Amino acid sequence: MIVLALASMFAQVTPPSAEAVLGKFESLLGGFGVKGPMRIQAVWIGDGSPNTVGSVVVSDRSGTRYTGYLRPGTFALYAMFRGKESEDYMGYPTTDVHDKAILKRLSEYGARAYGRESVRMESARSDGKKVLVFFAILRRGFPFVAASQPYGYSLTFTMPDLRFLFFMADSPPPPVDTRNPKLSESDAVEAFRRIFEGEMAPRAIADHHWSISYRLQPGRKLGWYLPKGESVARLVWNIPYIGTRHTEFADQGGSAGMLIDAITGKQVPTETVP
């Protein structure tokens, strides 16, 4: 039944014309400072089915190629890159960008990418040669807070001249709860302590005969998370911490996190570290 429903949904979408796709593609490139005119190399729209990804390739006057991909079902441009995709990835290590002039230009470029979406610049990091900036999509003023659900837009440019390299749009976020949060940050921390010390620690001793401890870390955030099997995102507090397991032979641990429901104060289970 699910397969039939998906097939029906995709079948109802009318593919855009090649002219419309090219127009959107060139408009985005122009918004990122890429000058035309462009020469068309290839355009393939597809039928919008789940297993097909449309694509468009153009080149500028210097012969540099720009490639874009269309999301199945909606035909929205979700990825664009200059030259070879592998050449546009960031190196390591990276550091936060603090130059106000660069951050201002990045914000302007981002505004041309997300259109009517409500977004917030969450990070801008550079390896010295490139800068990667991420704009989180907001719902009711809050972003999605788990690392496994980074709904938003990523843009990569060269440094310091900010020439366009890469654009990636995540999948559209799900619907969100309409209720306001009841827990403050301090309430969420207290809920974390209660769950860790009153539930997790006794269970570790009972099940494995080892003790566990934690050290709270900065970076607590209030935002959305969609639990597995649910259709509406919950408002949660993301509480990062360093967890340590004390065994007979050694202490082991690392970065972890717990999501606390901002309405009920209960832990929201996750399959990965938030």
Side-chain angles (χ1 to χ4, degrees):
M1 294 296 292
I2 294 177
V3 173
L4 290 175
L6 285 172
S8 175
M9 177 184 71
F10 282 105
Q12 294 174 3
V13 178
T14 302
S17 65
E19 290 78 9
V21 171
L22 284 167
K24 177 64 174 177
F25 189 43
E26 294 187 5
S27 176
L28 271 176
L29 286 176
F32 299 146
V34 179
K35 297 181 179 180
M38 296 292 174
R39 174 175 292 182
I40 302 171
Q41 299 294 333
V43 180
W44 187 72
I45 306 299
D47 60 6
S49 59
N51 296 322
T52 60
V53 176
S55 62
V56 54
V57 182
V58 300
S59 60
D60 61 19
R61 285 180 288 187
S62 69
T64 301
R65 288 198 169 199
Y66 298 86
T67 303
Y69 292 121
L70 309 179
R71 194 182 302 283
T74 65
F75 300 100
L77 277 163
Y78 73 91
M80 298 167 53
F81 58 90
R82 187 184 80 184
K84 295 181 179 179
E85 182 177 355
S86 60
E87 297 174 349
D88 299 333
Y89 294 151
M90 288 274 290
Y92 293 95
T94 63
T95 58
D96 290 327
V97 175
H98 298 289
D99 188 297
K100 292 182 179 180
I102 289 178
L103 292 175
K104 182 176 183 295
R105 285 184 62 190
L106 291 173
S107 295
E108 292 170 352
Y109 283 144
R112 296 160 188 168
Y114 51 70
R116 297 180 179 179
E117 284 282 13
S118 176
V119 302
R120 181 173 69 203
M121 183 189 292
E122 293 287 277
S123 63
R125 299 194 52 88
S126 174
D127 62 1
K129 297 180 179 179
K130 302 169 186 175
V131 56
L132 172 64
V133 57
F134 178 71
F135 294 90
I137 293 177
L138 305 181
R139 289 293 182 264
R140 300 183 59 217
F142 302 110
F144 283 74
V145 296
S148 59
Q149 298 178 351
Y151 296 103
Y153 301 89
S154 299
L155 288 161
T156 306
F157 297 88
T158 58
M159 282 284 279
D161 52 349
L162 299 186
R163 290 185 296 121
F164 170 76
L165 290 175
F166 199 90
F167 163 76
M168 176 67 74
D170 292 306
S171 301
V176 300
D177 195 343
T178 59
R179 294 175 295 175
N180 294 322
K182 293 184 178 180
L183 271 67
S184 65
E185 181 177 336
S186 60
D187 293 334
V189 170
E190 181 59 32
F192 165 85
R193 295 185 189 278
R194 183 180 66 252
I195 293 168
F196 193 101
E197 298 171 6
E199 299 177 21
M200 294 173 61
R203 188 163 59 244
I205 292 176
D207 293 347
H208 306 289
H209 305 290
W210 62 51
S211 62
I212 58 175
S213 62
Y214 65 87
R215 185 169 72 253
L216 290 171
Q217 297 296 295
R220 292 186 281 273
K221 291 183 179 180
L222 176 63
W224 305 104
Y225 178 74
L226 181 66
K228 184 177 180 180
E230 299 185 17
S231 58
V232 177
R234 300 189 196 182
L235 198 54
V236 301
W237 279 99
N238 186 356
I239 311 295
Y241 67 97
I242 300 293
T244 303
R245 179 174 60 192
H246 309 280
T247 70
E248 181 180 354
F249 305 102
D251 288 345
Q252 304 168 328
S255 299
M258 183 185 295
L259 298 183
I260 302 295
D261 192 303
I263 304 294
T264 66
K266 296 181 179 179
Q267 181 181 4
V268 179
T270 64
E271 295 184 333
T272 58
V273 175

